[in-house]
Each structure stands twice: as C-alpha cells, then as structure tokens.
Amino acid sequence: MARGIRFYEAGGPEVMQWESLQVGAPGPGEVRVRHAAVGLNFADTYFRSGLYPAALPAGMGVEGAGVVEAVGPGVMDFVAGDRVTYTGSPLGAYSTERVMSADHLIKLPETIPFDTAAAMTMRGLTSAYLLRRIAPLREGDTVLLHAAAGGVGLIFTQWARLLGINVIGTVSTDAKAEVARAHGCEHTIVYTREDVATRVRELTDGAGVPVVYDSIGRTTYQSSIDSLARRGLLVCFGTASGQIPPINAMELAVKGSLFVTRPALADYIADPAERTALAGEVFGHVGAGRIRVEINQRYALEDAVRAHRDLEAGRSVGSSVFELESAA
C-alpha cells in the first residue's frame, strides 16, 4: 500500500498527516513513479501555510526521484525501469509512489544517485537559470547572494566559481559562513551583526554589485536594493521571510535606475528543450564532481512535521531529503 503526506487545511507543520494512499494505473500521458528519495524545499512550506494556493485536501512536495513502474497510453519517452527525477507542480512528491504526467520527468543519468537527485533537481535548475539565463554575467563580476549556506546557495556558489564570478554571500552564523566559503564564496557577511549594504559597498570600493540574488524577501529587500550598483538588477526568487514590500518606482530611479525581477523556475523549464539543456548542465557538473551536493539533513517521510520545523527554524545547512527504500 502506498503512503504519503496530505494536509486538509493551511497552517503550521502539524497540519500534515501521514496516510495510506490509493495509487491507480497511469492514464494517457501519465506514468507511475516509485520514489527512492524526495526533496525538502522551502517552497513546500509556502503551500502548507497557504502563502501559495493549493486545492485542499492536497499532497505535499514538488520534487522527487525514483523509478518508473508503469506508463500510460501515449507515453513515448519513458518506459518501465527508467531512472527519473522531477520538480514542479502538482503537489504530491511526499509519497512512496504516485501517478503523474510524464511531461514533468527528466531522465536521470546513472552517475547521479537518487538521493542526490532529490536534493538538487530544484536547487540545481534554480541555480542554472539564475546564472545562465537571468543576467549576462561576465568573468570577474561580483554578485551578492542571500542565504549562501542554503541548498541553492551551495550549488550556486560552486557554479559561480566555475564561471569566474565572485560571490558575496550572506549567512546567519559564523559556522554557516565557514560552510559558504568552503563552497566558493569569496566573502561572507554575517547579517545578524553586520550591515549588509554597508559591507557590500566596502567590498566593492563603493560601487555596489551588478546583481543581487535574494530568496529571503521581506526582511532583505531594502538591503538588497541598497547593495546594487547603478543600473543593477535585483532578482527576487524566493520569499522565505515573506513577500517583498510594494516597489517604489521612484526609489529605483533615485538609487541608480535599478531593475527588479521576480522569476519563477516553472517559466524557465516549461519548454522541454530548455529544461533538458539546463538539466544537462547541472547533471554534467555534478556527475563530474565539479559541483558537490551537500545533503546535511535526512528524514524519513513520516517525519515531515519535524523536517518542516527544522527548515523554518533555520536549522538546515545545504540540502535536505526524505529517504525511502531504494528503488533500484
């Protein structure tokens, strides 16, 4: 019998319930996937809390890796036994198995273990579009990245170093600063005791940075704006502390003709060819060992409540996964 996490109302971690699930045969264009590992992402908490809308009752989770068990009519690109990974809607990854559209799947190379895939598919693809699609960065550029010791942060900084891009990373503790530097941060700022914008100006001889990558949102928005160079770009790709405040267009002009964008991963992997290209870059770097994926928190799927509490309390470093029985 399949099992998984469901929730019937928005709220804190305690609203999640571990239940038996009915998983039928795949329909047209669908596959049934047996999970070996499932990703834990901060975005999961947005659906659970109600920040992101979900039709209730709902499953939980948008990222998993495992093996195709069956394919429905019309599925041409996958067969039973294929190793796969995925990220994206609909919810339901917190489960031992599920039926889903084949359109979301990405074939997983043998060089990438299931737990690594679950820890890095969303984070790796996010880092890929941030570094390869958002802004025309050049070798020698310096950028600011918030949450540099997080799952995206550790992949992003390693990749940036490969591209010759210097990263100033913000972190909450000295321990996290050490982790961030070990993964490629040129400089770290412990935001709990240092003023971020002031320190960025010091590190850039007063110029500021051309791009700020901000996954925190409400509490970091102003320091991000104040850290930008003239005609700089603020990339708000997450809202861990809440939504950013309303944008004051005149402030953007006064502070140097600044730009702000709020991208979503879904729009950068909607095209199958682009998704395949970005995934190929991620898998190539990880498979060759040029980028290390740090899994520092591992949970059983039935411990989702504890996992969400750890995540929201800031106790996580790097990536977190739920481990299931091997699907090999």
Side-chain angles (χ1 to χ4, degrees):
M1 173 67 72
R3 293 183 68 83
I5 295 290
R6 289 178 68 77
F7 67 112
Y8 294 81
E9 61 180 336
E14 68 281 354
V15 302
M16 295 185 293
Q17 300 182 30
W18 176 241
E19 299 182 348
S20 296
L21 303 176
Q22 295 292 330
V23 179
E30 294 181 331
V31 297
R32 188 172 74 244
V33 175
R34 178 160 46 96
H35 289 135
V38 170
L40 171 63
N41 296 287
F42 212 96
D44 300 344
T45 71
Y46 301 160
F47 288 104
R48 190 212 69 228
S49 69
L51 180 62
Y52 287 176
L56 301 177
M60 177 60 66
V62 296
E63 179 179 36
V67 170
V68 173
E69 287 200 313
V71 301
V75 175
M76 305 298 293
D77 296 329
F78 299 93
V79 298
D82 278 349
R83 305 173 79 251
V84 294
T85 186
Y86 66 87
T87 183
S89 298
L91 299 174
Y94 286 20
S95 59
T96 55
E97 56 185 288
R98 70 182 299 193
V99 169
M100 62 184 295
S101 171
D103 291 341
H104 293 294
L105 297 183
I106 303 169
K107 287 188 177 179
L108 184 64
E110 293 287 344
T111 54
I112 309 293
F114 290 120
D115 59 348
T116 300
M120 55 75 76
T121 299
M122 175 180 281
R123 296 167 176 88
L125 288 171
T126 297
S127 297
Y129 89 75
L130 291 176
L131 282 166
R132 308 294 281 166
R133 296 292 188 271
I134 291 287
L137 296 170
R138 298 171 297 180
E139 185 174 355
D141 281 346
T142 296
V143 301
L144 175 66
L145 173 70
H146 290 289
V152 171
L154 297 187
I155 294 174
F156 181 102
T157 51
Q158 292 177 81
W159 201 334
R161 173 161 284 188
L162 292 174
L163 297 172
I165 297 164
N166 302 313
V167 177
I168 302 170
T170 72
V171 294
S172 60
T173 67
D174 289 318
K176 289 185 176 182
E178 185 175 344
V179 171
R181 287 193 297 270
H183 287 78
C185 265
E186 186 74 14
H187 303 282
T188 55
I189 301 172
V190 181
Y191 67 81
T192 51
R193 67 165 184 264
E194 299 178 273
D195 183 84
V196 172
T198 299
R199 187 72 182 118
V200 167
R201 296 289 172 182
E202 291 172 354
L203 292 169
T204 58
D205 295 325
V209 294
V211 187
V212 174
Y213 298 93
D214 189 341
S215 62
I216 305 302
R218 181 180 59 82
T219 61
T220 51
Y221 174 79
Q222 195 60 54
S223 66
S224 294
I225 288 289
D226 292 340
S227 297
L228 284 168
R230 179 175 287 130
R231 294 167 59 182
L233 171 65
L234 170 56
V235 183
C236 299
F237 69 100
T239 52
S241 68
Q243 298 283 8
I244 65 172
I247 294 173
N248 182 335
M250 185 54 67
E251 180 185 30
L252 300 183
V254 170
K255 289 183 178 289
S257 300
L258 306 180
F259 298 84
V260 178
T261 185
R262 188 17 175 130
L265 172 60
D267 294 315
Y268 288 84
I269 60 174
D271 177 76
E274 186 165 30
R275 181 175 65 233
T276 298
L278 291 175
E281 288 196 63
V282 176
F283 294 155
H285 286 313
V286 174
R290 291 186 293 269
I291 292 177
R292 306 190 314 276
V293 177
E294 302 285 344
I295 304 175
N296 294 313
Q297 295 78 217
R298 297 175 185 266
Y299 303 91
L301 199 51
E302 56 266 38
D303 289 335
V305 170
R306 178 168 64 90
H308 275 224
R309 285 175 175 156
D310 287 349
L311 188 63
E312 291 181 305
R315 290 191 284 267
S316 300
V317 176
S319 297
S320 303
V321 298
F322 296 103
E323 292 183 307
L324 292 80
E325 291 185 9
S326 172

